Amino acid sequence: MNDLVALLASQGAAVVFVATLAARLGAPVPAVPFLIVAGGLSVGGQVSFAAAVLAAVIGNILGDGVWFLAGRRWGYRVMRLLCRISLSADSCVRRSEAILGRWGGLSLIAAKFVPGVSVVAPPMAGALGMSNTRFLSYETAAALIWTLGFLLVGRIFHSAINDVLTVLSNIGLTAAVFCAAMLALFLMWRYYMRRMALRADDIEHIDIDVLREALAGSNGPTLIDVRGAASRALDDRAIPGAVGIELKRLPKDLGALADGRELVVFCDCPDDASAIAAARVLLAAGLPRVRVLAGGLDAWMAAEAALSPDADPVAA
C-alpha cells in the first residue's frame, strides 16, 4: 500500500488516467479506489486535484468513446460480445435498454453508477444513433459528476483513508489473498446461480426443422420474439410472422394471441435464457402449450443461410 501511495503521490494524474481508461474499456481495474485515494492525497497537496479531475474525465471520454464508435459501426454485434462475457448476459441489454429508454442521454450519467451497465450504455447509445455531439456533451457531464463525486469522498474522509491504508499495508499479502479468495467465491456463486437459472428441465424446446413443419400446417404456432424494443432496433433480423412482446410485458400483452394455439418463444441471448424465462412466465399464467426455439434467432438465421441458393456450399 505504501508503494501505491508513493506511486499516486509521484504520478497521480497518470495513474488515475490509466486506471479510469482501463475500467471504461472493460478491464477488471478498480478505478474508484484510485480516485478516492487520489482525492485523499490531494488534501495534503501530494496529488493535484485539478490534474486528477482532468485525467479521469479524459480517461472516461476516451474509453467510453471507443465503445460508442464501436456501437455506431458494428451495432448489435458489439452488444452481444459485451453481454456474452457478462455473468448476467441475459439481462445485460435489458438493463441498459431500460435506462436509455427512461432517461435518454441522461442515462450515460446514471450508467456510470450501475455495475454491468456502465460499459454497455455507450455502445448501445452509438448503435441507436445518438449523435457524436450529444454523446460528447452527456459523456463529459457524466464523467465530471462521477469523477468529482469520488474525489470529493476522498477529500472529505482523507484522514480515515490514511488509517485504512496504514492497516492494509500492515496486513499485506494476507489481505490480498483474502480479497482474492472472496472474489473467487463470489464469481463461483454467481456462476452457479446462473447455471441453476438456466436449467430447463421443465421447459420443452423445439428444433428449427420441426418448427418449419409446424408453420407449414394450417394451425401453426404463434411465434413470440421476447427481445426488448431497443434490442430489436439494434438487430433488425427477424423470423417472419413473429410478434415482438418483450419479456416484462408477458403475459398481459398477449391478448388475442392467446387463442389456444401453441406459443413458441425465442430470443437472441446465450443459452436461450430470456426465452426460457418467458416460457416459465407463460406456463405459470396457465398457457399450457409453450415451447422455446432451440438456439433462438441465431439458429433460425443460420438455417435460412444454409437454405439460401447463394450460400457457400462448403460453409453449408
Side-chain angles (χ1 to χ4, degrees):
M1 286 297 170
N2 290 329
D3 292 338
L4 173 60
V5 172
L7 181 61
L8 278 168
S10 62
Q11 304 292 334
V15 173
V16 168
F17 170 76
V18 171
T20 303
L21 177 62
R24 289 304 167 209
L25 289 175
V29 176
V32 169
F34 282 94
L35 278 175
I36 294 176
V37 173
L41 293 176
S42 70
V43 174
Q46 295 169 283
V47 172
S48 169
F49 186 83
V53 170
L54 183 62
V57 169
I58 293 175
N60 270 279
I61 293 174
L62 290 179
D64 286 345
V66 167
W67 286 118
F68 173 78
L69 294 175
R72 173 71 59 80
R73 175 65 177 83
W74 292 291
Y76 78 94
R77 295 178 181 84
V78 174
M79 302 303 303
R80 290 177 60 196
L81 170 64
L82 290 173
C83 289
R84 284 185 183 279
I85 62 178
S86 169
L87 288 175
S88 300
D90 48 299
S91 63
C92 173
V93 173
R94 289 204 308 272
R95 286 185 295 168
S96 302
E97 176 184 351
I99 293 176
L100 279 167
R102 180 173 300 178
W103 294 316
L106 293 175
S107 63
L108 293 172
I109 298 175
K112 296 284 187 189
F113 302 93
V114 181
V117 177
S118 58
V119 176
V120 178
M124 178 170 279
L128 291 176
M130 181 181 289
S131 69
N132 294 338
T133 302
R134 190 176 182 214
F135 169 78
L136 187 59
S137 299
Y138 280 112
E139 173 63 25
T140 302
L144 275 171
I145 292 172
W146 181 83
T147 299
L148 290 173
F150 290 114
L151 283 175
L152 289 176
V153 167
R155 287 183 67 88
I156 293 171
F157 298 101
H158 67 279
S159 59
I161 289 173
N162 289 331
D163 293 339
V164 171
L165 289 175
T166 300
V167 172
L168 290 178
S169 66
N170 293 330
I171 295 175
L173 181 61
T174 302
V177 172
F178 177 78
C179 291
M182 291 297 100
L183 177 61
L185 288 174
F186 172 74
L187 293 176
M188 291 171 61
W189 174 76
R190 285 292 301 272
Y191 179 79
Y192 171 77
M193 294 300 294
R194 174 167 173 75
R195 298 313 303 177
M196 290 296 292
L198 291 176
R199 289 186 62 179
D201 298 338
D202 57 327
I203 303 298
E204 186 178 355
H205 285 67
I206 181 172
D207 292 329
I208 297 295
D209 294 338
V210 177
L211 176 61
R212 286 184 183 280
E213 293 178 7
L215 290 173
S218 58
N219 194 28
T222 298
L223 295 173
I224 301 177
D225 183 349
V226 299
R227 294 178 298 164
S231 297
R232 293 195 297 273
L234 291 172
D235 180 5
D236 60 1
R237 299 178 303 164
I239 299 178
V243 179
I245 305 178
E246 57 187 295
L247 176 57
K248 67 180 180 181
R249 304 297 303 177
L250 292 174
K252 57 185 176 183
D253 278 6
L254 280 176
L257 297 177
D259 55 3
R261 290 194 296 169
E262 178 182 14
L263 301 177
V264 174
V265 295
F266 69 91
C267 63
D268 179 31
C269 49
D271 304 308
D272 300 324
S274 292
I276 291 172
R280 290 195 175 112
V281 169
L282 294 172
L283 289 170
L287 298 166
R289 305 179 62 194
V290 182
R291 284 194 279 183
V292 168
L293 177 59
L297 184 59
D298 275 350
W300 177 272
M301 298 308 298
E304 287 285 293
L307 292 174
S308 172
D310 298 327
D312 186 348
V314 175

